[in-house]
Amino acid sequence: MTSATHSPRASSRRFLAGLLGAPIAQSAAPAMHERAAEALGLRCHYQLVEIAGAGREELKMVLEGVRRLGFTGINVTFPYKEAVLDLLDELSPGAARIGAVNAVIVRDGRLIGHNTDTSGFARAVTPLVTASPHGAVAVIGAGGVGKAIAFALAGLGVPELRIFDSDRAKAAQLAARLEGQEEIGAKASVTPNVEDALHGVAGVVNASPVGMLPSVDTPVPDNLLHAGLWVADAVYSPLWTPLLTAAKAKGACVMTGRELAIYQAADAFELFTGLAPSIAELKMAFDGVMAKRYAASSSPLPPHALARGGEGRRR
C-alpha cells in the first residue's frame, strides 16, 4: 500500500458521493454535500449506504461497488473507519499515521483513504484549546474518531492526552501510536477509568458512541463536570447529548458535534471534487437538518443549540 498525496478534480458538473456506516439514517451529510455542490454550480447525489454488522467480505464488496459504479468518493463512519484500512489501494500519509479513514476517493480506479476528522476537529476545537489553560485533555473512546481527535489535539500542542476506552487494548494501541510520533511531542497515557482520565484536565472530548441516539447515556458522570472544564462531543445526533447538557448546566465551556461535522465535510468535499465548498452553505444545510429534526420531535430546539462550537461559559 503506497501513500497518496494528490487530490482529484471534478471532471464534470455532476458527481456521486456517499456515506458508509450504521446507523446513519439521521446523517446531515447528504444535505451538506448536495447544498455545497449546488452553490458551486454542481449537481451531487449523496447516497447513504447503511449496512450494520458488515464483515470483511461484505465491506470489500461495497468498496468494489464504489470503485465501479461511478462514485467520486465516499465517507466512512462508525463502525468501519478502521475496518476499511486494508481494503484500500492507498492511504494518505495522515490516514496511515492515524490508523483510521473517514473519506475514500476514487482516482483512476484506485481507492485512496484519507482522514478529514483530524483536520476538521482541529479547525473546530482550536478556539477552545487556545482559550483554555494549557493542560491535559481526556479523550473518551479510542476507535476511529477517537484516533483522529487525539492526533488533532496533539497537533494543536496539547501537552498530555489521557485516553480511556472500555476496551483497554484499543486505548493502549492509540497511546503507543501517539508516542511513536516524535514530531508531535504529546505525552499519551492510558487510564483505567473515566475518573482518572478527568483528574486535573483542562478539557474532555467524548469520541465514543455513548450518547448517540438511541443511547441516552453519558460517558462522564455528572459529578466530574465543573466550570473549569471545556467539554466537546463528537456526537451530533442528538446535537445536545446528555454529556453536553450536564456540562453546560455546570458552567463548563461546551462544543457540540456541529463544528466537527461541518469542517470534516468541507475537507471531504474538497477531496472529492478539488473545489473548496462554502462553509456558510454547509452550516446552513446542517442547521436546517437539525431544525427540522427538532421541529418533528416533541421537544423544542434547545437555547443556543445551533450556536458555534466553543460558546462561552454561562454567567
Side-chain angles (χ1 to χ4, degrees):
M1 185 177 290
T2 59
S3 293
T5 57
H6 55 273
S7 62
R9 288 289 181 264
S11 58
S12 71
R13 308 307 291 177
R14 304 164 62 111
F15 69 96
L16 173 63
L19 174 65
L20 169 64
I24 56 174
Q26 299 295 314
S27 175
M32 287 194 290
H33 283 264
E34 290 175 4
R35 179 162 181 157
E38 184 178 2
L40 290 169
L42 306 175
R43 289 187 62 188
C44 168
H45 176 71
Y46 193 95
Q47 179 67 44
L48 294 180
V49 184
E50 181 164 349
I51 303 176
R56 176 184 172 84
E57 289 306 310
E58 191 170 6
L59 288 176
K60 187 175 181 180
M61 289 173 60
V62 171
L63 290 170
E64 190 60 26
V66 170
R67 188 199 310 270
R68 294 176 177 270
L69 294 176
F71 280 83
T72 299
I74 190 168
N75 288 117
V76 181
T77 191
F78 179 84
Y80 303 126
K81 293 182 179 185
E82 297 161 292
V84 301
L85 280 174
D86 65 351
L87 300 176
L88 305 176
D89 300 307
E90 303 179 39
L91 293 177
S92 71
R97 184 169 61 250
I98 295 161
V101 161
N102 79 310
V104 177
I105 62 170
V106 184
R107 285 288 285 170
D108 301 323
R110 296 175 64 77
L111 302 177
I112 306 166
H114 293 260
N115 196 303
T116 68
D117 281 333
T118 300
S119 57
F121 188 76
R123 293 170 72 180
V125 82
T126 292
L128 282 177
V129 172
T130 56
S132 68
H134 194 60
V137 173
V139 178
I140 311 301
V145 75
K147 288 179 175 180
I149 283 171
F151 271 83
L153 290 167
L156 291 174
V158 170
E160 180 185 356
L161 295 170
R162 312 254 186 89
I163 303 165
F164 171 77
D165 194 286
S166 56
D167 183 339
R168 188 178 176 88
K170 289 177 67 174
Q173 290 168 5
L174 174 54
R177 189 177 287 270
L178 285 160
E179 292 282 359
Q181 304 295 318
E182 295 182 2
E183 70 277 13
I184 291 179
K187 177 184 176 183
S189 61
V190 177
T191 59
N193 52 58
V194 174
E195 289 78 9
D196 285 356
L198 265 73
H199 181 70
V201 298
V204 57
V205 184
N206 176 37
S208 79
V210 177
M212 181 172 68
L213 291 174
S215 168
V216 292
D217 295 327
T218 179
V220 179
D222 292 2
N223 66 297
L224 299 179
L225 302 170
H226 55 83
L229 278 177
W230 61 260
V231 182
D233 205 321
V235 171
Y236 71 80
S237 182
L239 193 61
W240 281 87
T241 60
L243 169 62
L244 292 182
T245 300
K248 188 172 179 62
K250 292 292 185 75
C253 188
V254 299
M255 185 180 83
T256 71
R258 174 181 185 262
E259 302 301 309
L260 169 58
I262 289 166
Y263 287 122
Q264 66 79 23
D267 291 345
F269 184 97
E270 188 164 357
L271 285 171
F272 295 159
T273 67
L275 301 172
S278 164
I279 298 298
E281 294 289 344
L282 289 170
K283 288 181 176 180
M284 285 188 284
F286 182 91
D287 291 349
V289 170
M290 293 297 110
K292 288 179 181 177
R293 187 172 302 168
Y294 278 99
S297 71
S298 58
S299 58
L301 192 68
H304 309 299
L306 300 179
R308 189 185 187 283
E311 61 182 272
R313 297 185 178 90
R314 297 197 314 171
R315 288 177 172 83

